[in-house]
Amino acid sequence: MGAPANLKINIIANTKKLSKGLKNASKEVKGFSKGLKIGLASLGAAAVAAFGFFVDSVKKAIAEQKSVENLDAAVRRLADGYSYNTGAIEAWIDRIKYSSTFSDDQLRPSLARLIDATGDLKTAQDLLITSANLAVAANVPLETVVKAVTKAQEGNKTSLLKLFPELIKVNDKTKTGADLVQILANKYKDADKNASNTASGGLKKLGDTFDDIQETVGEVLLPYLEEFSAWLQTDRKSTRLNSSHRT
């Protein structure tokens, strides 16, 4: 998400040409595999690489769509008939990921889990930022910290204490799991943001930009490939019916 408008226009134009070419190839030869072999043989190695890029792009677009839908479902579980602005939350995820060492594919499921645990979108967003900071500080996966933070919010401090043994000194019966999370939030504030500004963080941002471009390509290609797949299935059914009539 977030690719420039002029890039999207160029992608759409080139993708329509690709779709038209695929349809023409499928009409001229029997079966998609023959058409694909002929097309790739004539276009050469560059076309093979481009085709691989397009396939990966569609896969990324499908995964992105599923990730967004899962987050959407988590927010809707907050209350019956709850309506929220998908664009606003996606914009927030985009803003966070470019100042984070974690991708949107990592941030979305983590936010969904925190929403389910807290029942509040704003609290979940705050805890996601804290979890990202703690994951960097402890050098562990974001998912691991989110699980520990979620359990702590529910009153189980064990996982959090294992990840951050320094809490043992301040932990007592008066301290809730939420209190311990806040202590860590204060201590490791901006750890993720600072890590994203390093050389490795810069490479990660570059990778995020490339992923966004691929997802945009995939979003444009997906409807055409779905249409082609439907045509292919219909053609196969027609071929089987014709074969059965002959026998």
Side-chain angles (χ1 to χ4, degrees):
M1 299 181 68
N6 61 338
L7 175 61
K8 291 185 179 180
I9 292 171
N10 290 333
I11 288 170
I12 291 171
N14 292 330
T15 301
K16 287 183 177 178
K17 291 180 182 178
L18 173 66
S19 176
K20 184 178 179 181
L22 286 173
K23 289 181 180 178
N24 289 338
S26 65
K27 291 178 182 178
E28 293 171 2
V29 296
K30 286 186 177 181
F32 175 67
S33 60
K34 282 187 178 180
L36 187 60
K37 288 177 182 178
I38 292 173
L40 293 180
S42 63
L43 292 175
V48 176
F51 185 78
F53 173 81
F54 289 140
V55 170
D56 287 343
S57 296
V58 171
K59 288 180 179 179
K60 284 182 179 293
I62 292 172
E64 173 94 350
Q65 188 178 66
K66 185 176 180 180
S67 178
V68 172
E69 288 173 354
N70 288 341
L71 178 55
D72 174 74
V75 177
R76 292 185 186 281
R77 284 193 292 270
L78 289 175
D80 292 336
Y82 185 91
S83 176
Y84 86 106
N85 187 335
T86 303
I89 293 184
E90 281 302 302
W92 184 84
I93 291 285
D94 266 351
R95 188 169 66 254
I96 294 302
K97 78 175 182 181
Y98 283 112
S99 60
S100 171
T101 57
F102 302 101
S103 68
D104 53 1
D105 291 335
Q106 294 170 301
L107 294 170
R108 278 197 206 91
S110 295
L111 181 59
R113 184 183 181 110
L114 290 166
I115 287 171
D116 282 335
T118 63
D120 182 77
L121 177 59
K122 181 62 170 63
T123 300
Q125 289 174 319
D126 291 341
L127 286 176
L128 177 59
I129 293 173
T130 294
S131 296
N133 288 332
L134 300 189
V136 169
N139 194 27
V140 296
L142 177 61
E143 181 183 5
T144 300
V145 174
V146 168
K147 287 180 179 178
V149 168
T150 297
K151 290 180 180 179
Q153 293 296 121
E154 295 169 348
N156 185 341
K157 300 181 281 186
T158 304
S159 296
L160 197 65
L161 290 169
K162 286 181 179 178
L163 281 175
F164 297 94
E166 70 245 44
L167 289 175
I168 296 174
K169 296 178 181 179
V170 296
N171 182 43
D172 57 43
K173 292 182 179 180
T174 66
K175 293 287 192 304
T176 66
D179 291 334
L180 296 182
V181 170
Q182 188 56 52
I183 290 172
L184 292 172
N186 294 337
K187 181 176 181 179
Y188 296 112
K189 182 180 180 182
D190 294 332
D192 185 32
K193 182 178 179 180
N194 292 336
S196 75
N197 290 327
T198 62
S200 60
L203 289 175
K204 181 262 177 187
K205 291 176 184 177
L206 185 62
D208 282 344
T209 300
F210 185 75
D211 283 344
D212 284 345
I213 293 171
Q214 275 202 295
E215 287 163 5
T216 300
V217 172
E219 287 169 4
V220 175
L221 272 175
L222 189 55
Y224 294 103
L225 293 184
E226 287 175 341
E227 181 182 343
F228 186 80
S229 177
W231 172 87
L232 190 62
Q233 293 300 321
T234 302
D235 185 65
R236 284 178 177 174
K237 288 179 182 178
S238 176
T239 302
R240 284 197 295 267
L241 285 172
N242 290 336
S243 298
S244 63
H245 286 322
R246 293 194 199 98
T247 57

